[in-house]
Amino acid sequence: MDEQPRLMHSHGVGMAGHPGLAQHMQDGTAGTDGEGRKQDIGDILQQIMTITDQSLDEAQARKHALNCHRMKPALFNVLCEIKEKTVLSIRGAQEEEPPDPQLMRLDNMLLAEGVAGPEKGGGSAAAAAAAAATGGIGADNSAEHSDYRAKLSQIRQIYHTELEKYEQACNEFTTHVMNLLREQSRTRPISPKEIERMVSIIHRKFSSIQMQLKQSTCEAVMILRSRFLDARRKRRNFNKQATEILNEYFYSHLSNPYPSEEAKEELAKKCSITVSQVSNWFGNKRIRYKKNIGKFQEEANMYAARTAVSATSVSAHGSQANSPSTPNSAGGYPSPCYQPDRRIQ
DNA sequence: AATAATGATTGCGC
DNA sequence: GCGCAATCATTATT
């Protein structure tokens, strides 16, 4: 019920009644009465308000005069405090900045890829060594790898120069703004705290720009990786002998062209390719054979004839064992017209 | 330069 | 995990 008066009292923040000002004025204006002080302040404020109407030289002189005025520090502090209470307190609350998880992720990735970290020694020698250490396959691989390294270091260089540019621009801008604010704080209530806040705002802005750089660098690295890691891009056909061996197996097991794990391993060893390459080959072969048997007719006949010949020659030498483990008849895949029958004769 | 062949990858169902 | 089918990207051929 009777809270109204108290509320109204607490809201009454006027300039004349400001405790800080009163305190400052006590030692500044010894001997004058209240009317005089008010007159003084009104005078100063009037001068400040009209300063823009004057010519440049005049304004400069007036600014200097005001700056040297004995009331200046007091007024300045009061204005700063009022400003702090009215404007900045609104934004002051949301001041804390937790480390952005996304930024951390980007940083970690760049570090892991060797883009952000310290410069790793020199050029092609180190790259080749690294390639040899990781690859172990041979010259082909190391050539690819050094190419990869070269491109990566290119990205790295761009990243660093850009980052440095941003850093420099940020510093330049910050000092510029700080100087400006310091300069303006001679005529405008700008507290050091406010300048500090402004600097942190600038830093935040620039770090968000840096994050964009990091983001795009990450993307570039990912694209580079996918380019070089995708085996489709460095595909080499198998040599003649390898395809020969694979085809031989395929056509002699046409009824069931699914080599077991062991068979795949053996084929891989014989062709000096990996087991998964063997699997890929058989996968491709099966589907392509099935899709267009006619096209493979000739090939099928050729290999069938060849195995038939080798089988007969083997059996002619005495051993009666059937060479392929699975006979070639009933099954999923249609056979070509010429069906090699090793039981022939 | 077009086109075919070929090894590798991806998405889906089992 | 495997195989199939579709597809990609490169290499060989015309």
Side-chain angles (χ1 to χ4, degrees):
Chain A
M1 261 295 197
D2 55 355
E3 285 192 316
Q4 285 274 58
R6 249 192 266 169
L7 268 170
M8 284 181 58
H9 177 75
S10 71
H11 273 261
V13 182
M15 218 190 355
H18 198 279
L21 182 58
Q23 200 184 344
H24 279 294
M25 283 177 4
Q26 266 173 9
D27 41 358
T29 59
T32 46
D33 57 0
E35 278 299 309
R37 281 182 285 183
K38 273 185 190 158
Q39 175 75 31
D40 216 355
I41 292 164
D43 207 32
I44 294 167
L45 288 175
Q46 187 58 35
Q47 285 184 45
I48 293 171
M49 302 293 254
T50 58
I51 203 163
T52 51
D53 298 334
Q54 296 160 343
S55 75
L56 208 61
D57 284 347
E58 226 176 341
Q60 210 66 268
R62 181 60 53 82
K63 255 162 72 178
H64 184 72
L66 281 168
N67 224 20
C68 296
H69 196 280
R70 67 185 194 287
M71 296 280 286
K72 192 254 176 181
L75 253 178
F76 185 79
N77 280 345
V78 170
L79 289 173
C80 281
E81 277 178 52
I82 291 169
K83 194 175 170 190
E84 179 88 18
K85 277 192 183 138
T86 54
V87 185
L88 289 170
S89 58
I90 299 164
R91 284 194 285 186
Q94 45 169 16
E95 190 63 75
E96 84 291 336
E97 39 180 322
D100 186 355
Q102 203 194 343
L103 182 62
M104 279 174 64
R105 238 189 46 229
L106 290 174
D107 276 336
N108 284 339
M109 188 196 150
L110 290 174
L111 212 59
E113 294 299 331
V115 175
E119 182 88 45
K120 271 184 247 161
S124 53
T134 55
I137 305 296
D140 191 24
N141 196 339
S142 91
E144 293 278 333
H145 210 92
S146 74
D147 197 10
Y148 172 78
R149 302 274 301 191
K151 293 238 164 66
L152 188 66
S153 82
Q154 201 178 321
I155 289 174
R156 175 198 167 85
Q157 200 190 333
I158 290 169
Y159 170 77
H160 275 110
T161 54
E162 287 293 305
L163 200 63
E164 204 172 317
K165 248 197 287 188
Y166 288 167
E167 203 85 38
Q168 204 179 326
C170 179
N171 286 338
E172 247 170 59
F173 189 67
T174 304
T175 53
H176 182 71
V177 167
M178 273 171 72
N179 286 338
L180 208 63
L181 289 178
R182 281 210 203 94
E183 173 64 29
Q184 293 205 347
S185 75
R186 289 150 70 88
T187 49
R188 213 148 71 73
I190 300 171
S191 64
K193 200 172 157 190
E194 205 178 335
I195 293 175
E196 209 174 290
R197 210 192 306 261
M198 186 59 80
V199 166
S200 87
I201 287 170
I202 292 167
H203 282 165
R204 265 208 295 279
K205 284 277 180 237
F206 268 90
S207 81
S208 85
I209 294 170
Q210 280 187 4
M211 189 152 117
Q212 283 176 24
L213 172 67
K214 285 173 181 176
Q215 180 93 50
S216 63
T217 305
C218 272
E219 272 168 31
V221 170
M222 293 305 271
I223 289 167
L224 183 69
R225 278 177 75 85
S226 75
R227 264 197 88 76
F228 277 85
L229 263 49
D230 188 349
R232 278 184 292 202
R233 301 198 180 258
K234 50 181 178 187
R235 181 176 73 77
R236 296 285 111 90
N237 288 357
F238 299 151
N239 61 39
K240 205 87 182 155
Q241 200 182 351
T243 46
E244 202 103 317
I245 292 165
L246 293 166
N247 271 318
E248 212 156 289
Y249 188 98
F250 180 80
Y251 287 111
S252 64
H253 297 74
L254 202 52
S255 66
N256 186 33
Y258 297 87
S260 64
E261 186 59 32
E262 297 83 55
K264 278 184 195 170
E265 278 167 26
E266 189 170 334
L267 284 167
K269 193 154 49 165
K270 273 202 250 180
C271 303
S272 52
I273 56 178
T274 68
V275 174
S276 60
Q277 281 179 306
V278 173
S279 298
N280 284 339
W281 190 92
F282 273 88
N284 283 322
K285 190 72 183 181
R286 280 191 298 263
I287 191 77
R288 282 163 185 165
Y289 179 83
K290 195 175 81 176
K291 239 175 174 170
N292 190 352
I293 295 167
K295 199 160 59 183
F296 289 90
Q297 192 80 246
E298 207 178 326
E299 191 180 63
N301 290 341
M302 191 185 97
Y303 280 101
R306 197 181 300 184
T307 55
V309 166
S310 76
T312 51
S313 75
V314 166
S315 67
H317 276 93
S319 171
Q320 202 65 1
N322 264 350
S323 39
S325 50
T326 37
N328 188 9
S329 54
Y333 284 83
S335 302
C337 61
Y338 178 75
Q339 175 89 293
D341 191 349
R342 279 167 311 291
R343 287 167 308 177
I344 203 167
Q345 266 271 286

